[in-house]
Amino acid sequence: MEHLAKHYHGHIAELNHRVAEVCKREQIAGLVIHSGQPHRQFLDDMNYPFKVNPHFKAWLPVLDNPNCWLIVNGLDKPQLVFYRPVDFWHKVSDLPDMFWTQHFDIKMLTKADQVAELLPKNIESWAYLGEHLDVADVLGFKQRNPEAVLNYLHYHRANKTQYELECLRRANQIAVQGHLAAKNAFYNGASEFEIQRAYLAAVGQGENEVPYDNIIALNENAAILHYTALEHQNPLHRYSFLIDAGANYFGYASDITRTYSFEKNNFDELIQAMDKAQLEIIDMLRPGVCYTDLHIANHRKVAQLLLDFKLANGDVETLIEQGVTAKFFPHGLGHMLGLQVHDMGGFLRDERGTHIAPPEAHPFLRCTRVLEANHVVTIEPGLYIIDTLLDELKQDKRAQLVNWDTVDTLRPFGGIRIEDNVIVHQDRNENMTRELGLVD
């Protein structure tokens, strides 16, 4: 914790600098950032799990307390309006007492609908950041989520502070322990549901605390890119296991994927070849490189794997140009990572919000940006047997480019994805995932 505290002062200084710059540019008094409000389930008296506004948790690790507010202008000491009601039905948040509290003037709010008394009097000169626009309207905000402000903040969010990098390292460290536990559970015969329980126990986080719904997929289920069904029963035969799971630390996310073969076979060799290709792509990361170019380079590697393992015929260029690789690898190479799993700013050319569209042939890319030092990205190549996509190849002359017997052989294994979380430094890449213990 002391190590985090050492970096936190610089983090707050940077956030204040950004706010001061954008408020001066847009001629607004400051930003009022809402942590959010609970969402009530339809026709029920219970709420959905609370998810905090990422712009709020960028400032401080208060993740589970709705009805809080930050008042910042980049010049004065930030103010925190901390919600702490009188309530005997639910656990009330503890009084703030951590390394970050000294950086805020803290005011207590006991009734959510009385926050106006603690907000700036000239509220029409301030901008509201949050999702509850109806609340902002009632409070008198004239500017709500101004696009110019969001573009500026999202663009600069990609450049992580030292505090943020340390949080991301710790999020990886936690998730690695979960992955090791899940791998062990798989080889010991656990079901998808049991593997999920082993993972959550190892990371010490519940389903609503981890940054996204874990993908725990056995056999053919690994070909479903966002599989979250979690079967309780084991399959008759155990072929493969794909796990895509992360962890949270102070609001920062990790996002890691591994694939395993239950036996040493051709599929296991394909995993090892994909692992090698993934590391080669990571070695290409550096400031000044366009992420789109990395994605396209990965298609060349996928094409070579298809040829080496006799899944396809022809040559690398033909498989890419004819769209064959896109049927086996249909998603993007990865994305920016931070306060959100798919962190904002991945498509921005500049702080004005100029959009960098993905190439027409690769519409599912989640990042097209030119990389800089202190950017954090995922690199997650994949190769899957997805019948609905491969069937499209059967409809025309591209059918001859695919070795359908090999496809049939690999279908029970589902697919492969390998994902690491990487910090781009000026002179090197820091593969947090592997350096913290998940080497295969």
Side-chain angles (χ1 to χ4, degrees):
M1 199 68 72
E2 290 183 6
H3 192 50
L4 278 178
K6 179 180 69 173
H7 294 305
Y8 189 72
H9 178 79
H11 175 69
I12 290 297
E14 175 60 26
L15 294 187
N16 273 320
H17 171 73
R18 294 174 189 175
V19 169
E21 283 290 311
V22 74
C23 287
K24 180 180 178 181
R25 177 182 301 176
E26 300 304 318
Q27 298 184 326
I28 55 180
L31 308 179
V32 178
I33 307 172
H34 191 190
S35 70
Q37 291 185 174
H39 287 274
R40 184 59 54 91
Q41 297 179 27
F42 183 56
L43 298 179
D44 210 329
D45 61 353
M46 294 185 293
N47 296 323
Y48 290 107
F50 175 70
K51 299 297 181 182
V52 67
N53 175 2
H55 286 284
F56 184 90
K57 67 175 178 173
W59 289 79
L60 71 178
V62 174
L63 312 178
D64 57 358
N65 196 16
N67 303 311
C68 292
W69 301 77
L70 281 169
I71 304 167
V72 296
N73 62 13
L75 304 174
D76 301 313
K77 189 175 184 178
Q79 296 180 44
L80 168 63
V81 176
F82 190 82
Y83 182 57
R84 198 165 190 269
V86 177
D87 187 352
F88 59 85
W89 290 103
H90 310 96
K91 184 184 185 305
V92 175
S93 295
D94 295 330
L95 289 170
D97 184 23
M98 292 185 69
F99 62 85
W100 56 265
T101 56
Q102 63 181 298
H103 297 275
F104 296 86
D105 284 332
I106 302 176
K107 302 175 182 178
M108 292 296 164
L109 176 67
T110 57
K111 296 183 179 180
D113 58 2
Q114 294 181 0
V115 68
E117 300 173 8
L118 301 177
L119 297 181
K121 301 307 178 186
N122 58 333
I123 201 68
E124 67 279 354
S125 300
W126 293 68
Y128 170 90
L129 295 190
E131 65 172 311
H132 298 278
L133 301 184
D134 54 339
V135 174
D137 188 54
V138 169
L139 289 171
F141 287 95
K142 301 300 182 186
Q143 299 191 66
R144 298 175 290 257
N145 296 326
E147 185 177 4
V149 172
L150 292 181
N151 285 336
Y152 181 94
L153 296 178
H154 291 163
Y155 177 78
H156 288 286
R157 186 197 288 183
N159 296 91
K160 302 296 188 287
T161 67
Q162 292 304 308
Y163 166 80
E164 291 179 300
L165 294 180
E166 190 60 29
C167 287
L168 287 162
R169 292 184 185 105
R170 297 194 182 199
N172 265 263
Q173 187 176 39
I174 295 168
V176 164
Q177 299 309 307
H179 274 260
L180 294 175
K183 175 184 177 181
N184 184 60
F186 164 65
Y187 284 117
N188 284 325
S191 67
E192 292 173 348
F193 179 76
E194 291 166 336
I195 295 172
Q196 165 81 329
R197 290 200 304 177
Y199 180 90
L200 295 176
V203 301
Q205 297 178 12
E207 290 182 348
N208 294 321
E209 294 175 292
V210 291
Y212 57 95
D213 292 338
N214 291 344
I215 298 170
I216 307 288
L218 297 179
N219 298 352
E220 298 98 326
N221 292 333
I224 303 171
L225 298 183
H226 287 165
Y227 174 80
T228 58
L230 293 177
E231 294 181 0
H232 289 245
Q233 300 299 317
N234 264 316
L236 292 177
H237 301 284
R238 184 169 292 254
Y239 295 108
S240 62
F241 170 44
L242 185 151
I243 173 173
D244 186 334
N248 260 316
Y249 186 83
F250 278 9
Y252 290 84
S254 55
D255 180 7
I256 301 170
T257 308
R258 286 295 184 270
T259 308
Y260 303 100
S261 177
F262 192 64
E263 298 176 345
K264 298 297 183 182
N265 50 30
N266 192 52
F267 184 72
D268 182 66
E269 293 175 2
L270 183 55
I271 293 173
Q272 302 311 312
M274 176 64 79
D275 188 75
K276 179 175 180 293
Q278 189 246 17
L279 290 174
E280 290 171 352
I281 291 292
I282 290 175
D283 285 342
M284 296 169 65
L285 289 168
R286 62 180 57 86
V289 169
C290 180
Y291 197 91
T292 304
D293 293 339
L294 298 174
H295 175 79
I296 294 172
N298 187 67
H299 270 271
R300 298 186 62 83
K301 294 187 178 297
V302 169
Q304 191 61 56
L305 289 177
L306 294 176
L307 295 171
D308 291 345
F309 285 83
K310 296 180 171 49
L311 279 157
N313 312 302
D315 58 75
V316 167
E317 297 302 330
T318 299
L319 295 178
I320 295 174
E321 292 171 2
Q322 295 296 314
V324 175
T325 56
K327 303 305 180 186
F328 286 92
F329 170 50
H331 58 77
L333 178 63
H335 48 81
M336 291 195 153
L337 182 70
L339 289 164
Q340 295 171 275
V341 178
H342 302 144
D343 215 9
M344 302 298 295
F347 294 102
L348 298 183
R349 185 184 303 278
D350 53 45
E351 59 190 26
R352 296 288 185 180
T354 306
H355 183 75
I356 310 172
E360 185 176 347
H362 305 280
F364 301 114
L365 257 175
R366 285 196 171 106
C367 182
T368 56
R369 189 161 171 176
V370 175
L371 298 175
E372 301 176 24
N374 295 326
H375 282 188
V376 179
V377 296
T378 69
I379 299 294
E380 48 182 305
L383 194 159
Y384 316 86
I385 306 300
I386 304 175
D387 287 328
T388 54
L389 295 180
L390 296 179
D391 285 347
E392 297 176 17
L393 300 178
K394 293 180 178 180
Q395 309 305 314
D396 52 43
K397 62 181 181 180
R398 293 179 296 174
Q400 62 187 349
L401 295 173
V402 178
N403 186 333
W404 298 104
D405 289 338
T406 307
V407 168
D408 291 341
T409 300
L410 290 180
R411 182 176 289 106
F413 296 87
I416 299 169
R417 185 164 63 256
I418 300 171
E419 178 182 19
D420 290 339
N421 303 168
V422 184
I423 303 172
V424 179
H425 293 288
Q426 192 64 47
D427 57 351
R428 65 185 178 92
N429 297 316
E430 179 184 344
N431 188 330
M432 295 181 285
T433 306
R434 305 223 181 201
E435 292 180 20
L436 290 168
L438 195 61
V439 293
D440 56 19

